[in-house]
Amino acid sequence: MPELSHGRRMLVLAICCMSLLIVSLDNTVLNVALPSLQRELDASTSGLQWTIDAYTLVLASLLMLAGSTADRIGRRRVFMAGLVVFTLGSLLCSLAPDLNWLVVFRMVQAVGGSMLNPVAMSIITNTFTNPCERARAIGVWGAVVGLSMAAGPLVGGVLVDSVGWRSIFWVNLPVGLAALLLTWRFVPESRAPRARRPDPVGQVLVIALFGSLTYAIIEAPHGTWRSTAPFAALALIALLSLLRYEPRRPEPLIDLRFFRSAPFSGATVIAVSAFAALGGFLFLSTLYLQNVRGLSALEAGLWMLPMAVPTFLCAPLSGRLVGSRGPRLPLLFAGGAMTVSGLLFALFEAETSNATLVVGYVLFGVGFGLVNAPITNTAVSGMPTDQAGVASAVASTSRQLGQTLGVAVLGAVLAAGVGASSYADTFVTASRPGWWILAACGAVVLVLGALTTGPWARGTAERAAARLATEERPRAGVGG
């Protein structure tokens, strides 16, 4: 890709951030609308989980495919296709006649979304070649997540209370169309110097793993052991098959040699943990504020601001810290803040007091705001430039998988605790195990942030990068 002027690079960053905004805004807006969906479509807790997880599950399953495809056939081309499909999916969601169709159309949205964020990050990585400038750009990218969290609950609250839940999908239409026109006009085409071949078997195994695992978790509180155990077994078989099959491919869907780098492996697990905490936090908070406290969608959105605003403010700060001092400091602060937030709810029932509720929200917002930039920066740093799409797709996949599992696990815990009782009577007690899980996720961020950012970890990253650049894959097993 040709060297661009500073102004053109900023414009490319802005266009890429527009795609992140609509994808991220879609989830935060929808969370505020969950109680309205529950009433209008007569949805159960598992039905609400599927409206979130159908989207994040498809995203997680297809992100690596989208990243490698974009590297092969052109990043701008795939990015524009994603904008078209996502915008069309949003329109279909607004017209869904029932919950089942809404879940289907959310999956259509996700097919488009899978072509946006990892490809946009790959475009940014190839546009901002200076490491410090790239870190600041990634910080801006992370701030957009905070912006979506700040604007999402308010926009969603206003739309749900005034027009209805269907209108939340209308927001994506003008933004998606504007991003499409600007991409066509200003974003240059780029692709990897050496094209990667498709890996259909690996892709099928990833879909089987993510889909069966999520189904087993969500449906466990509502079904029998015999009905969910086969899906858990399928997930295990798919995982073992993936670990055996992928190393034998000359160009796998995901190169498992990436995980020889401790920072890369740590960033992957940290992403899963942090976004599992986010998914569970938003799910529990929305249901509590509206179904237990009886707040309107707009009032619930206002109550979420103590979490959203710190996320928005801390994301660019985290990007600057990563650029100047490395990822360790923001990861340690992030893990500590998220852990303390979870413990406030688990030990002291923070939701029963306005003061502790606000403190818990602020701490979580600070932690989540700090964690995003070091994840992305670590995932793409040190990797060969011709695999930027794949490396960034792994980070994005980890995020979406984490959010999928967070909603699935914490929703299942809540459903099992509530049972046939009303939310108002049992929510605080039933959600307590979920808050313990959230605190554990924060502890994982804290511990891995310390372990995978030191001299030993950097040494493993250097050795992994050298092997990726020089190692010849054995030809045996090319056919799988």
Side-chain angles (χ1 to χ4, degrees), residues 115 127 223 243 358 378 384 444:
M115 302 182 225
T127 300
L243 293 176
V358 170
T378 304
V444 169

mmCIF file with all atom_site columns, all heavy atoms in Angstrom, residues 115 127 223 243 358 378 384 444:
data_model
loop_
_atom_site.group_PDB
_atom_site.id
_atom_site.type_symbol
_atom_site.label_atom_id
_atom_site.label_alt_id
_atom_site.label_comp_id
_atom_site.label_asym_id
_atom_site.label_entity_id
_atom_site.label_seq_id
_atom_site.pdbx_PDB_ins_code
_atom_site.Cartn_x
_atom_site.Cartn_y
_atom_site.Cartn_z
_atom_site.occupancy
_atom_site.B_iso_or_equiv
_atom_site.pdbx_formal_charge
_atom_site.auth_seq_id
_atom_site.auth_comp_id
_atom_site.auth_asym_id
_atom_site.auth_atom_id
_atom_site.pdbx_PDB_model_num
ATOM 1  N N   . MET A 1 115 ? -16.581 -9.186  8.551  1.00 0.00 ? 115 MET A N   1
ATOM 2  C CA  . MET A 1 115 ? -15.719 -8.608  7.517  1.00 0.00 ? 115 MET A CA  1
ATOM 3  C C   . MET A 1 115 ? -15.283 -7.187  7.845  1.00 0.00 ? 115 MET A C   1
ATOM 4  O O   . MET A 1 115 ? -14.563 -6.568  7.055  1.00 0.00 ? 115 MET A O   1
ATOM 5  C CB  . MET A 1 115 ? -16.450 -8.595  6.176  1.00 0.00 ? 115 MET A CB  1
ATOM 6  C CG  . MET A 1 115 ? -16.907 -9.941  5.680  1.00 0.00 ? 115 MET A CG  1
ATOM 7  S SD  . MET A 1 115 ? -17.715 -9.796  4.064  1.00 0.00 ? 115 MET A SD  1
ATOM 8  C CE  . MET A 1 115 ? -19.150 -10.836 4.291  1.00 0.00 ? 115 MET A CE  1
ATOM 9  N N   . THR A 1 127 ? -1.585  0.893   7.516  1.00 0.00 ? 127 THR A N   1
ATOM 10 C CA  . THR A 1 127 ? -1.565  2.336   7.258  1.00 0.00 ? 127 THR A CA  1
ATOM 11 C C   . THR A 1 127 ? -0.605  3.049   8.199  1.00 0.00 ? 127 THR A C   1
ATOM 12 O O   . THR A 1 127 ? 0.149   3.939   7.800  1.00 0.00 ? 127 THR A O   1
ATOM 13 C CB  . THR A 1 127 ? -2.983  2.929   7.414  1.00 0.00 ? 127 THR A CB  1
ATOM 14 O OG1 . THR A 1 127 ? -3.866  2.299   6.486  1.00 0.00 ? 127 THR A OG1 1
ATOM 15 C CG2 . THR A 1 127 ? -2.979  4.427   7.162  1.00 0.00 ? 127 THR A CG2 1
ATOM 16 N N   . GLY A 1 223 ? -32.439 -27.822 29.954 1.00 0.00 ? 223 GLY A N   1
ATOM 17 C CA  . GLY A 1 223 ? -32.570 -29.166 29.410 1.00 0.00 ? 223 GLY A CA  1
ATOM 18 C C   . GLY A 1 223 ? -32.069 -30.216 30.388 1.00 0.00 ? 223 GLY A C   1
ATOM 19 O O   . GLY A 1 223 ? -31.778 -29.940 31.553 1.00 0.00 ? 223 GLY A O   1
ATOM 20 N N   . LEU A 1 243 ? -6.704  -29.045 17.013 1.00 0.00 ? 243 LEU A N   1
ATOM 21 C CA  . LEU A 1 243 ? -5.314  -29.045 17.466 1.00 0.00 ? 243 LEU A CA  1
ATOM 22 C C   . LEU A 1 243 ? -4.469  -30.058 16.692 1.00 0.00 ? 243 LEU A C   1
ATOM 23 O O   . LEU A 1 243 ? -3.266  -29.860 16.508 1.00 0.00 ? 243 LEU A O   1
ATOM 24 C CB  . LEU A 1 243 ? -5.260  -29.360 18.965 1.00 0.00 ? 243 LEU A CB  1
ATOM 25 C CG  . LEU A 1 243 ? -5.861  -28.305 19.892 1.00 0.00 ? 243 LEU A CG  1
ATOM 26 C CD1 . LEU A 1 243 ? -5.835  -28.780 21.331 1.00 0.00 ? 243 LEU A CD1 1
ATOM 27 C CD2 . LEU A 1 243 ? -5.128  -26.970 19.757 1.00 0.00 ? 243 LEU A CD2 1
ATOM 28 N N   . VAL A 1 358 ? -22.609 2.576   41.911 1.00 0.00 ? 358 VAL A N   1
ATOM 29 C CA  . VAL A 1 358 ? -21.860 3.516   41.079 1.00 0.00 ? 358 VAL A CA  1
ATOM 30 C C   . VAL A 1 358 ? -20.364 3.209   41.135 1.00 0.00 ? 358 VAL A C   1
ATOM 31 O O   . VAL A 1 358 ? -19.671 3.207   40.106 1.00 0.00 ? 358 VAL A O   1
ATOM 32 C CB  . VAL A 1 358 ? -22.137 4.967   41.518 1.00 0.00 ? 358 VAL A CB  1
ATOM 33 C CG1 . VAL A 1 358 ? -21.173 5.926   40.823 1.00 0.00 ? 358 VAL A CG1 1
ATOM 34 C CG2 . VAL A 1 358 ? -23.573 5.357   41.200 1.00 0.00 ? 358 VAL A CG2 1
ATOM 35 N N   . THR A 1 378 ? -0.491  -6.061  21.360 1.00 0.00 ? 378 THR A N   1
ATOM 36 C CA  . THR A 1 378 ? 0.303   -7.269  21.554 1.00 0.00 ? 378 THR A CA  1
ATOM 37 C C   . THR A 1 378 ? 0.008   -8.298  20.481 1.00 0.00 ? 378 THR A C   1
ATOM 38 O O   . THR A 1 378 ? 0.904   -9.013  20.015 1.00 0.00 ? 378 THR A O   1
ATOM 39 C CB  . THR A 1 378 ? 0.022   -7.875  22.944 1.00 0.00 ? 378 THR A CB  1
ATOM 40 O OG1 . THR A 1 378 ? 0.266   -6.879  23.938 1.00 0.00 ? 378 THR A OG1 1
ATOM 41 C CG2 . THR A 1 378 ? 0.909   -9.067  23.207 1.00 0.00 ? 378 THR A CG2 1
ATOM 42 N N   . PRO A 1 384 ? 4.724   -11.094 11.298 1.00 0.00 ? 384 PRO A N   1
ATOM 43 C CA  . PRO A 1 384 ? 5.039   -10.672 9.932  1.00 0.00 ? 384 PRO A CA  1
ATOM 44 C C   . PRO A 1 384 ? 3.889   -9.870  9.338  1.00 0.00 ? 384 PRO A C   1
ATOM 45 O O   . PRO A 1 384 ? 2.711   -10.184 9.568  1.00 0.00 ? 384 PRO A O   1
ATOM 46 C CB  . PRO A 1 384 ? 5.209   -12.006 9.189  1.00 0.00 ? 384 PRO A CB  1
ATOM 47 C CG  . PRO A 1 384 ? 5.561   -12.997 10.261 1.00 0.00 ? 384 PRO A CG  1
ATOM 48 C CD  . PRO A 1 384 ? 4.829   -12.545 11.485 1.00 0.00 ? 384 PRO A CD  1
ATOM 49 N N   . VAL A 1 444 ? -7.664  -13.071 36.143 1.00 0.00 ? 444 VAL A N   1
ATOM 50 C CA  . VAL A 1 444 ? -6.906  -13.644 35.026 1.00 0.00 ? 444 VAL A CA  1
ATOM 51 C C   . VAL A 1 444 ? -6.180  -12.539 34.258 1.00 0.00 ? 444 VAL A C   1
ATOM 52 O O   . VAL A 1 444 ? -5.005  -12.670 33.893 1.00 0.00 ? 444 VAL A O   1
ATOM 53 C CB  . VAL A 1 444 ? -7.839  -14.437 34.085 1.00 0.00 ? 444 VAL A CB  1
ATOM 54 C CG1 . VAL A 1 444 ? -7.124  -14.803 32.791 1.00 0.00 ? 444 VAL A CG1 1
ATOM 55 C CG2 . VAL A 1 444 ? -8.343  -15.691 34.778 1.00 0.00 ? 444 VAL A CG2 1
#
